[in-house]
Amino acid sequence: MARNIKGTIVIEGEEVPVSNPDKLLWPEAGISKLMYLQKLAELSPYLLRYCRNRLLTTIRYPGGIHSKFFYQKNAPEPLPPFVQTAVHDGINYVVLDSLPALLWLGNLAAIEFHPSLHYVGEQLPCEWMIDLDPSMDEEPRIMEAASYVGDILTSLGLSSVPKTSGATGVQIIVPIRHGVSFDDLRLIGHFVARYVTEKYPGLFTIERLKKDRGDKIYFDYLQHYGGKTLAAPYTPRARQAASVSTPLTWEEVRRNPSPSDFHLLNIGSRLKERGDLLEAVPPQSVEMILQHLRQPAGKK
């Protein structure tokens, strides 16, 4: 339980500074920094699960979501003793593993949390994540597209969890058994991407250059590299609705929700009701799929 000291909160025995508590970070939603810290505390059992033991990049908006922002990879200085870090490729990343560290970042107006796709000190991915990225600012077909990809994964024997990016896209997460490489996942991803673009050519593209995508949804199977990041499950986003990247059921996807339906003001009640949908899907093997894809063309 936190207790107030002038300009600080004390939580889990650590003193976390709080500056400009009345500063509106999301003006349209009426969310001040102090409210944001309260919402981060509410999200922390879920958000920390997908940031712990990973290299963290944050996006900071010191003046609120309509002000200038910057990406923060190197840990901000000075570092309080309760914030853990890890060096990777010459960058001293925050490793977000505690509520005090989360609230410290929140006070620095870190609004978005983008963890690495691998654990600290490892080179193998934590999970397989497919990124569906619309080419248009408003894409009414994004949930339809996600549903088609989910059906294909099911046909391959894989359980998956769709989540809103919190912005315009959708990510589909497949929990996998440890030991699969990034190269392996790109191989499977390319196979699924090629299949959906051939089956739904008016909807999907694998064209890397945005200017060449037209109005199609980009199936990004190339995102899986060491050092790459994607928006964490349950991260807030710098959007007017104060949206939160939220795992969904496939039944919800078929009802065509808007990513802005899930936001800081209602995510707490949703999590109390449904819990973490991602945690319910166990890690799965993709070895049979990989064996099939590695076979020479004539033997498939």
Side-chain angles (χ1 to χ4, degrees):
M1 195 67 186
R3 60 187 175 87
N4 288 319
I5 295 179
K6 185 180 180 183
T8 67
I9 54 174
V10 176
I11 194 156
E12 296 182 359
E14 303 291 355
E15 192 170 320
V16 181
V18 178
S19 57
N20 302 313
D22 298 326
K23 174 72 182 178
L24 283 176
L25 297 181
W26 285 269
E28 289 82 3
I31 297 175
S32 67
K33 185 190 283 187
L34 185 59
M35 286 178 64
Y36 175 47
L37 296 180
Q38 292 166 343
K39 296 301 179 183
L40 280 181
E42 192 174 42
L43 280 170
S44 63
Y46 308 92
L47 178 57
L48 289 176
R49 183 176 295 153
Y50 300 103
C51 293
R52 190 170 280 118
N53 198 28
R54 306 196 196 197
L55 308 168
L56 183 70
T57 298
T58 60
I59 310 180
R60 291 174 58 187
Y61 292 78
I65 65 164
H66 298 303
S67 68
K68 291 181 180 178
F69 64 90
F70 59 95
Y71 286 78
Q72 179 106 49
K73 288 183 178 287
N74 269 301
E77 298 286 351
L79 273 178
F82 55 80
V83 175
Q84 305 301 313
T85 63
V87 176
H88 179 79
D89 287 344
I91 296 172
N92 188 36
Y93 288 91
V94 168
V95 180
L96 182 54
D97 62 356
S98 71
L99 177 54
L102 177 61
L103 297 183
W104 175 73
L105 287 169
N107 182 61
L108 294 176
I111 281 178
E112 300 194 8
F113 299 83
H114 297 245
S116 62
L117 302 172
H118 58 86
Y119 293 124
V120 173
E122 293 196 5
Q123 296 181 336
L124 297 178
C126 309
E127 65 270 304
W128 180 25
M129 199 180 296
I130 295 168
D131 189 23
L132 301 180
D133 186 15
S135 301
M136 303 186 295
D137 290 339
E138 295 293 331
E139 177 50 89
R141 305 169 298 171
I142 188 63
M143 292 297 169
E144 177 190 4
S147 185
Y148 291 148
V149 176
D151 289 345
I152 291 163
L153 294 173
T154 299
S155 74
L156 292 172
L158 295 173
S159 297
S160 59
V161 180
K163 78 173 180 75
T164 66
S165 70
T168 57
V170 168
Q171 283 106 35
I172 299 171
I173 300 175
V174 181
I176 53 167
R177 290 183 191 162
H178 191 262
V180 179
S181 71
F182 283 108
D183 287 341
D184 291 334
L185 294 181
R186 283 193 299 278
L187 179 64
I188 305 173
H190 184 235
F191 168 74
V192 176
R194 233 178 34 204
Y195 183 89
V196 295
T197 51
E198 289 171 7
K199 189 168 184 181
Y200 306 102
L203 188 58
F204 292 99
T205 181
I206 54 174
E207 175 57 59
R208 293 185 71 180
L209 296 177
K210 194 165 187 176
K211 67 181 180 65
D212 296 331
R213 295 179 194 166
D215 65 350
K216 296 178 183 178
I217 294 167
Y218 179 46
F219 187 117
D220 187 356
Y221 66 93
L222 295 169
Q223 186 67 20
H224 262 69
Y225 274 95
K228 291 274 191 179
T229 65
L230 277 172
Y234 308 109
T235 179
R237 300 302 299 265
R239 312 288 287 194
Q240 285 191 18
S243 49
V244 171
S245 180
T246 304
L248 307 175
T249 66
W250 285 113
E251 182 183 349
E252 286 178 309
V253 167
R254 286 187 283 273
R255 293 202 291 266
N256 195 32
S258 167
S260 61
D261 292 344
F262 310 95
H263 49 74
L264 281 172
L265 299 178
N266 65 12
I267 188 67
S269 58
R270 175 182 174 83
L271 289 170
K272 282 179 185 172
E273 180 187 337
R274 291 181 173 268
D276 181 10
L277 298 176
L278 269 169
E279 193 183 26
V281 179
Q284 302 154 89
S285 173
V286 293
E287 282 304 318
M288 292 287 287
I289 301 168
L290 285 168
Q291 286 174 22
H292 175 74
L293 294 176
R294 287 171 182 149
Q295 285 179 9
K299 294 187 178 180
K300 289 184 182 179

